Amino acid sequence: MTLDFCGLTLAHPIINGSGTFDAIAARRAFGEQLRAAFPFAAYVSKTITLEPRHGNSPPRLWEVPGGLINSIGLPNKGLEG
Amino acid sequence: MSQAPFARRELTVTGMDELGAYRVLRVSDPDGPEPQPGQFAMLAAGEHWGGGEDERPYLPRAFSIARRSGTESHFLLEDVGPGTRRLCELRPGDRLWALGPLGQGFSLGGRDSDRRRRAILVGGGVGIAPLAILQDTLLRAGGGPGAGADRVTVLLGFRDGPRTHGAALLREARVASDDGSAGHHGLVTDLLQEELRDDSHAVVYACGPAGMLEGVRALCASAGIPAQLALEAGMACGFGACFGCVVPRRGGGYLRVCVDGPVVDAAMLEHVEEHAGGAGGIE
C-alpha cells in the first residue's frame, strides 16, 4: 500500500481532509491507543489564524445523500493562543 | 469517566422491545467499559447503513446509554429519520457498530452540599434514556446525591399517549403529557415547579428537547437550584475531533456537546436554544 505523494512516502493512501480531525481532542478521548493505532498515513492539521476565532454559529453539519457537508468556520485560539 | 476503546466494536443485537412509540434496543457488549450515567455511544447498523437509495443514513447516530444490565447495553430509540428507522429495524442476531462510552456524564460526586439534596430527574420524550441509568445508579449508591428511593423524584413529559409508555423505563415516575392522555395535562416543567415549591433543597438532572431544557434551566436559575442538563445533538465524530456539534456557551464561544457534554452544568449556558447541537439531517 506504500505510495509517494508530493514527495512524501506514505504507508497507505488514507489521510484526513483538511480541518476535519482535531488529533488533540481525539487523544484526550482515547489516550495512548490513538498513537498506537493512528488511522492516517499523514495528518492534515486544523487551521491556525492570526486572531482567535470561535467559528461559525450552528448548524455546522448536515448529512446529505452520500456524505456530509460541514462548515465549521476555523475555530482556533489564534497564533498566540 | 470511562475511556472508550479507540475503535468501534461490532456487537450483536439481543433484543428489540416495544415501549409504546419507542423501542428499547438491547445489545451484547461484553467488552464495553462500564458507562457513567449520561454518557453516549455512536451507533450504526452492521448492514444497510449508507449506500441505499439516497445513501442515507451515512453518519453514525449518537444515543445515550439508557441502561447496563450485566453485559448488555440498552438504548432507547424513536423512529424520526433514516438512521433511527434503520436502527429500529434491527432484530436479534443482527450486527451493530458501537463506539463509546463517550462524553461527560452526570457529575454525582458533586459538591458536599449537593449530596444532601433531593435528586429530581426531569426527562422529556426520548430524552428520558440517560435518566434510567442515572436512577439505577442513584438507587444503588449509598452516599451519592439523592441516595435512597425516597430521595429520588422522577418527572417525565411526553407528547401523547403512545409516547407516555416510555415512562416504564424508569421507576415511580410522575408523568405529564401534552395531550392529557396520561398524568398531568401540560408540561413536565409544571411538575418541576410544584416539586420545587414543596421542597427546594434539590439538585436537578434533566434531559429532553431544547424547549424543555430551557424551561428547566430557567426555573432552576431563578430558584438558585443546581442543575445538570444532558444536551441532545446530531454528531459526526462523537469525540471532539470535528467541532460540529456546538452550542453557544455563556460568555461567548461554544461548547462541543460530545466532549464538553453531553451533560453540562446549566450555569454554563445563557439559554438552551432550539436546534441546539448545531447539526441537521442526522436523525
Side-chain angles (χ1 to χ4, degrees), chain B:
Chain B
M1 290 294 157
S2 308
Q3 192 167 74
F6 177 54
R8 58 182 191 168
R9 302 187 295 288
E10 187 177 31
L11 309 180
T12 302
V13 175
T14 49
M16 181 70 78
D17 305 326
E18 275 195 40
L19 201 60
Y22 305 108
R23 301 284 181 277
V24 177
L25 167 64
R26 292 185 283 113
V27 295
S28 174
D29 188 10
D31 301 322
E34 205 58 33
Q36 300 292 315
Q39 286 193 293
F40 67 96
M42 301 294 285
L43 304 182
E47 287 89 27
H48 307 298
W49 195 273
E53 192 176 327
D54 69 355
E55 301 184 28
R56 294 180 65 210
Y58 175 78
L59 298 165
R61 268 42 174 179
F63 283 90
S64 295
I65 297 155
R67 180 158 277 138
R68 276 287 277 184
S69 178
T71 57
E72 272 191 357
S73 294
H74 299 184
F75 301 93
L76 187 66
L77 310 178
E78 183 179 13
D79 173 0
V80 293
T84 47
R85 186 168 311 129
R86 177 69 193 106
L87 291 171
C88 285
E89 291 169 354
L90 293 173
R91 293 293 172 264
D94 288 346
R95 295 180 311 118
L96 178 84
W97 290 108
L99 176 68
L102 298 166
Q104 307 295 323
F106 292 103
S107 171
L108 303 183
R111 293 166 289 192
D112 283 349
S113 55
D114 287 358
R115 292 201 187 100
R116 293 188 293 273
R117 291 170 182 261
R118 173 172 62 138
I120 304 181
L121 282 51
V122 186
V126 75
I128 66 173
L131 303 182
I133 187 172
L134 176 62
Q135 186 184 36
D136 292 347
T137 304
L138 290 174
L139 294 179
R140 261 200 320 265
D150 60 328
R151 299 289 292 159
V152 180
T153 302
V154 180
L155 311 174
L156 304 177
F158 299 95
R159 193 188 309 165
D160 53 28
R163 287 178 173 81
T164 59
H165 291 280
L169 199 65
L170 287 93
R171 274 163 276 184
E172 298 178 18
R174 287 186 70 194
V175 170
S177 54
D178 294 356
D179 67 356
S181 56
H184 168 69
H185 187 177
L187 302 176
V188 70
T189 44
D190 300 338
L191 300 180
L192 177 60
Q193 202 160 19
E194 248 177 54
E195 292 285 346
L196 294 180
R197 203 165 41 226
D198 294 345
D199 175 9
S200 64
H201 195 62
V203 54
V204 170
Y205 304 95
C207 185
M212 185 210 89
L213 289 182
E214 172 57 17
V216 170
R217 187 207 62 77
L219 271 174
C220 292
S222 65
I225 290 167
Q228 297 179 33
L229 310 180
L231 305 175
E232 297 179 326
M235 298 175 186
C237 69
F239 51 87
C242 74
F243 285 67
C245 58
V246 296
V247 295
R249 75 181 303 161
R250 181 187 291 273
Y254 296 99
L255 297 168
R256 282 172 287 177
V257 173
C258 65
V259 288
D260 299 316
V263 179
V264 300
D265 186 325
M268 295 171 77
L269 307 174
E270 193 82 43
H271 299 288
V272 182
E273 298 184 358
E274 285 296 338
H275 311 297
I282 309 177
E283 62 282 310

